[in-house]
Amino acid sequence: TPLKSIKLSGFKSFVDPTLITLTSNLTAIVGPNGCGKSNVVDAIRWVIGESSAKNLRAESMADVIFNGTTNRKPVGQASIELTFDNTDGRLSSEYAKYNEISVRRILQRDGQSQYFLNGTRCRRKDILDIFLGTGLGPRSYSIIEQGMISRIIEAKPEDLRVFLEETA
Amino acid sequence: TPLKSIKLSGFKSFVDPTLITLTSNLTAIVGPNGCGKSNVVDAIRWVIGESSAKNLRAESMADVIFNGTTNRKPVGQASIELTFDNTDGRLSSEYAKYNEISVRRILQRDGQSQYFLNGTRCRRKDILDIFLGTGLGPRSYSIIEQGMISRIIEAKPEDLRVFLEETA
Amino acid sequence: TRAKFKETFDQVNQTFEAYFPKIFGGGQACLELTGDELLDAGISVKAQPPGKRNTSIHVLSGGEKALTAIALVFSLFQLNPAPFCILDEVDAPLDDANVGRYCNLVKAMSEKVQFLFISHNKIAIEMAKQLCGVTMHEPGVSRMVAVDIDEAIAMAES
Amino acid sequence: TRAKFKETFDQVNQTFEAYFPKIFGGGQACLELTGDELLDAGISVKAQPPGKRNTSIHVLSGGEKALTAIALVFSLFQLNPAPFCILDEVDAPLDDANVGRYCNLVKAMSEKVQFLFISHNKIAIEMAKQLCGVTMHEPGVSRMVAVDIDEAIAMAES
Ligand SMILES: Nc1ncnc2c1ncn2[C@@H]1O[C@H](COP(=O)(O)OP(=O)(O)OP(=O)(O)O)[C@@H](O)[C@H]1O
Ligand SMILES: Nc1ncnc2c1ncn2[C@@H]1O[C@H](COP(=O)(O)OP(=O)(O)OP(=O)(O)O)[C@@H](O)[C@H]1O
Ligand SMILES: [Mg+2]
Ligand SMILES: [Mg+2]
């Protein structure tokens, strides 16, 4: 499976370090309303470079950091790490030579996001470059958010064109 | 039951004269995707005065008239009639003295809508007046369209105020 | 007038504060005025599901938003019960436990209000006292069909 | 460039024209360019469910729109299969027969593409080869739980 695992910590309702290992091409995430399923989707879009808080159902980017429950205090940092299997070399750029690529994003309450590629600090642009041309990106057709499926065909013609050009 | 029956003819996918009689306070409309359930809701909003084609999933008002299938030709007129039980006198204006009130709207391809109250031609405004203050109207909180339930709480504060004022 | 608006606001808010914990099994919610001037202030919604700290509706999940909105609509109905209420698949985002809570609320209100609702969910269909089936045996042409509960459920499933 | 865009457009359109009747059990659909100048023309969707005459997407029902959009997304995937595909309750507006068709399409594509999907629908959950449960035993705190198929269905229902 291209995406091997998702590590969440301090991100939205996933306050405790959590590892989700993906072992098949057909993985279902299930659970009652409000338990945190769509937060996992937000985590994936955030780590691959989503820069708009509004697109993450947040009012400011700091809102993605766990901000407490009736029994727990807020924490100071959110961190998400995705690990990809790159043995087929599909993910581009100079990292193509690695069999495994990990992408990580960390945000503290006071500041900027930090991005890491295989443990080494990098820029947001480096993360976007890796996925360039693969059809994957924070707002691409490969991630369909809750309630948005029909918007694709209701989109304005010029917006649908942008969608298609991403495929090229 | 306040609403006793809905008569549809030539309206969207209800090309043949159809009578739906409501015999309980808990009526479910069921059927597969695309069979015409939401068209019944559109029919009710249309006859009580909805004037925007866009709010009826139509590009122009003539689009509510049955426009054919692979085996049937389009028809020239759409007609919807609602019959209300008014024995409790809740529906206002000079019609309050009738035990039963029927509201009808007819549209032909070439022109204006015609409204009828208990069989007598009237204006759109007369229909709106009947329901004034009852909480019922083409866009009131008493008719929730498909996919719109969450929009009520996502509405701008000034729009939510309008909703509330309708209740007063 | 100011007094009339304030009175309506307070009444709906009171009902909303009472309904929310009923439909969520706990938590709290309220309406807030966005300005001091009563004549033009807007209204915003605060909602806090049980055990959670957030009150902004933007962080709510799909199901939580739908349930909060249902509680608000029913609060408006309590104050001024329109002759009937039409609900078109409002239960689509809900898991079955919440569909159950939604049905309990609808059943309780159906003593005062006539409901006409559309759903593909078996639990919601089972609360109906009257079932109206719609088919398109002839493609593109809607026709009403009498159905019993088993047929209705089968229809929702096919 | 013009040629590149036209080639991509034609390929996606061809796949979309082929997928639509598969997922709807008939009918037809296509993409149309909204202008003559290839460099800035927009794209609009035409869809005609089986037996119907309308081609505008505005008159489609909630379920028909979702199904048409799914066919389009999968056509984009056929041309350029991204490493994975995430679907968050795209089956919510569908009746069970259409959920079945959607699942068949996902299963067929899962040979080339990794799917991560969220659903409350039993039929969709049953197609999964891996199940990840999410709970909030501690209110407000999400935790992953191992679940089997019966637990997963029970979870979707509670
Ligand atoms: N920064 C944060 N800190 C703590 N909790 C948060 C934070 N941001 C969001 N949440 C919580 O996450 C919950 C929403 O989770 P999510 O949208 O993933 O639910 P879901 O499982 O998708 O539910 P549904 O089935 O209704 O769509 C909200 O109740 C919200 O309180
Ligand atoms: N003027 C018209 N003439 C003929 N058919 C029409 C007309 N307007 C709409 N339709 C048809 O009505 C159908 C949509 O019906 P409707 O939205 O009521 O379905 P639904 O039962 O609510 O389905 P879902 O469960 O997917 O929401 C469309 O397929 C469309 O072709
Ligand atoms: Mg969700
Ligand atoms: Mg519908």
Side-chain angles (χ1 to χ4, degrees):
Chain A
T1 63
L3 179 61
K4 292 172 64 173
S5 71
I6 309 164
K7 270 192 214 145
L8 311 97
S9 170
F11 183 88
K12 292 203 169 191
S13 51
F14 289 89
V15 55
D16 297 334
T18 307
L19 176 66
I20 304 175
T21 310
L22 303 168
T23 59
S24 112
N25 265 11
L26 278 171
T27 303
I29 302 180
V30 293
N33 288 137
C35 69
K37 302 182 298 293
S38 296
N39 289 346
V40 174
V41 178
D42 289 345
I44 293 171
R45 289 174 48 242
W46 183 70
V47 71
I48 61 176
E50 176 61 75
S51 55
S52 147
K54 192 158 170 297
N55 276 3
L56 292 165
R57 299 181 292 158
E59 286 167 275
S60 77
M61 209 41 111
D63 284 349
V64 302
I65 306 172
F66 176 76
N67 65 9
T69 65
T70 36
N71 297 327
R72 295 217 193 185
K73 291 203 176 21
V75 299
Q77 169 176 302
S79 163
I80 300 289
E81 183 172 9
L82 300 185
T83 307
F84 289 89
D85 174 345
N86 192 37
T87 35
D88 63 359
R90 281 223 345 244
L91 295 180
S92 58
S93 87
E94 68 270 36
Y95 293 89
K97 55 180 183 292
Y98 294 97
N99 280 349
E100 192 175 279
I101 292 184
S102 84
V103 171
R104 189 171 181 212
R105 181 174 179 177
I106 296 178
L107 176 68
Q108 289 169 345
R109 283 204 188 273
D110 58 352
Q112 293 306 312
S113 289
Q114 298 175 344
Y115 291 88
F116 300 83
L117 255 172
N118 284 358
T120 317
R121 187 72 199 271
C122 68
R123 295 165 307 161
R124 176 172 175 266
K125 189 171 155 16
D126 299 322
I127 307 276
L128 296 179
D129 282 352
I130 282 196
F131 298 117
L132 215 60
T134 66
L136 182 61
R139 285 182 224 160
S140 83
Y141 56 84
S142 54
I143 303 178
I144 308 287
E145 291 161 76
Q146 191 169 0
M148 305 300 276
I149 181 70
S150 295
R151 303 273 168 98
I152 292 166
I153 58 170
E154 294 167 348
K156 287 200 212 75
E158 53 278 18
D159 296 338
L160 203 50
R161 181 194 174 106
V162 169
F163 236 51
L164 197 96
E165 286 175 326
E166 248 180 46
T167 336
Chain B
T1 64
L3 180 62
K4 291 172 64 170
S5 71
I6 310 164
K7 267 192 217 145
L8 312 97
S9 171
F11 183 89
K12 292 202 170 191
S13 51
F14 290 89
V15 55
D16 296 332
T18 307
L19 175 67
I20 304 175
T21 309
L22 303 169
T23 58
S24 110
N25 265 9
L26 277 173
T27 303
I29 303 179
V30 292
N33 288 139
C35 70
K37 301 183 298 293
S38 296
N39 288 347
V40 174
V41 178
D42 289 345
I44 293 170
R45 290 175 45 240
W46 184 70
V47 70
I48 62 175
E50 177 61 73
S51 55
S52 146
K54 193 159 169 291
N55 277 4
L56 292 164
R57 299 180 294 158
E59 288 168 273
S60 77
M61 208 44 110
D63 284 351
V64 304
I65 306 172
F66 177 77
N67 66 8
T69 66
T70 37
N71 295 329
R72 293 221 195 183
K73 291 202 174 20
V75 300
Q77 169 177 300
S79 163
I80 300 290
E81 183 173 6
L82 300 185
T83 306
F84 290 90
D85 174 344
N86 193 36
T87 35
D88 62 359
R90 282 216 352 234
L91 294 178
S92 59
S93 89
E94 67 270 34
Y95 293 90
K97 56 181 181 293
Y98 292 99
N99 279 351
E100 192 175 278
I101 292 184
S102 82
V103 170
R104 188 171 182 211
R105 181 174 178 178
I106 295 177
L107 176 68
Q108 288 165 348
R109 284 203 187 274
D110 59 350
Q112 293 304 312
S113 288
Q114 296 175 342
Y115 291 88
F116 298 83
L117 256 172
N118 285 359
T120 316
R121 187 76 200 268
C122 67
R123 297 165 304 161
R124 176 172 174 264
K125 188 173 153 22
D126 299 321
I127 306 275
L128 296 179
D129 281 352
I130 283 195
F131 298 117
L132 214 61
T134 65
L136 183 59
R139 285 181 228 163
S140 82
Y141 57 86
S142 54
I143 302 178
I144 308 288
E145 290 160 73
Q146 191 168 3
M148 304 301 274
I149 180 70
S150 295
R151 303 272 167 100
I152 293 164
I153 58 171
E154 294 168 345
K156 289 200 207 73
E158 54 279 17
D159 295 337
L160 203 51
R161 179 192 176 109
V162 168
F163 237 47
L164 197 98
E165 284 174 333
E166 242 176 48
T167 333
Chain C
T1 66
R2 280 200 188 88
K4 181 93 183 106
F5 173 72
K6 186 82 175 82
E7 189 196 336
T8 310
F9 176 83
D10 288 339
Q11 278 175 297
V12 175
N13 191 20
Q14 248 167 19
T15 318
F16 182 53
E17 285 174 347
Y19 261 146
F20 185 87
K22 244 197 243 159
I23 202 170
F24 268 82
Q28 59 192 357
C30 68
L31 299 177
E32 278 187 6
L33 288 170
T34 56
D36 293 335
E37 179 38 60
L38 278 180
L39 282 180
D40 60 12
I43 298 172
S44 71
V45 179
K46 295 271 172 268
Q48 201 176 13
K52 301 188 175 177
R53 183 174 288 204
N54 278 309
T55 59
S56 152
I57 54 159
H58 300 290
V59 294
L60 294 179
S61 79
E64 291 172 333
K65 261 190 196 159
L67 221 51
T68 304
I70 290 169
L72 182 57
V73 168
F74 287 173
S75 308
L76 293 169
F77 256 92
Q78 276 300 340
L79 192 70
N80 180 3
F84 58 77
C85 177
I86 300 180
L87 303 168
D88 192 347
E89 302 198 26
V90 298
D91 55 353
L94 304 182
D95 61 37
D96 286 0
N98 282 326
V99 171
R101 291 202 190 101
Y102 153 70
C103 289
N104 291 343
L105 216 65
V106 169
K107 272 184 268 186
M109 286 187 68
S110 69
E111 287 169 25
K112 274 170 59 181
V113 177
Q114 177 185 14
F115 283 96
L116 187 63
F117 65 93
I118 296 171
S119 175
H120 290 294
N121 190 305
K122 210 170 21 207
I123 300 168
I125 293 170
E126 281 168 349
M127 85 167 153
K129 296 219 172 69
Q130 180 192 9
L131 292 165
C132 295
V134 186
T135 70
M136 270 192 175
H137 285 313
E138 180 186 344
V141 173
S142 296
R143 209 179 286 293
M144 303 309 290
V145 214
V147 285
D148 63 27
I149 187 73
D150 296 323
E151 286 167 324
I153 291 173
M155 231 181 191
E157 293 181 352
S158 78
Chain D
T1 70
R2 277 198 191 85
K4 180 90 182 114
F5 173 72
K6 187 78 175 81
E7 188 197 333
T8 309
F9 176 83
D10 288 339
Q11 277 176 299
V12 175
N13 191 20
Q14 250 167 22
T15 319
F16 182 54
E17 283 174 350
Y19 262 145
F20 186 87
K22 247 197 243 159
I23 202 168
F24 269 83
Q28 57 191 357
C30 69
L31 300 177
E32 277 188 4
L33 289 170
T34 55
D36 292 335
E37 177 40 55
L38 278 180
L39 282 179
D40 61 11
I43 297 172
S44 72
V45 179
K46 293 273 172 270
Q48 202 176 16
K52 299 185 176 177
R53 184 175 286 208
N54 278 310
T55 59
S56 153
I57 54 160
H58 302 289
V59 295
L60 293 181
S61 79
E64 291 172 331
K65 262 191 195 160
L67 220 51
T68 304
I70 290 168
L72 182 57
V73 168
F74 287 173
S75 307
L76 293 169
F77 256 91
Q78 275 300 339
L79 192 69
N80 180 3
F84 58 77
C85 178
I86 299 180
L87 303 168
D88 192 347
E89 301 199 27
V90 298
D91 56 357
L94 303 182
D95 61 38
D96 286 1
N98 282 327
V99 172
R101 291 200 191 103
Y102 153 70
C103 290
N104 292 342
L105 217 64
V106 169
K107 272 183 270 187
M109 287 186 70
S110 68
E111 298 186 6
K112 277 171 52 179
V113 177
Q114 176 184 14
F115 283 95
L116 190 64
F117 65 92
I118 296 171
S119 175
H120 291 296
N121 189 306
K122 209 171 13 205
I123 299 169
I125 293 171
E126 281 167 349
M127 83 166 153
K129 295 220 174 72
Q130 179 191 9
L131 291 165
C132 295
V134 186
T135 69
M136 272 194 174
H137 286 313
E138 181 186 343
V141 173
S142 295
R143 208 179 284 295
M144 302 309 290
V145 200
V147 284
D148 64 26
I149 185 74
D150 296 322
E151 286 165 336
I153 290 172
M155 227 180 195
E157 293 181 353
S158 77

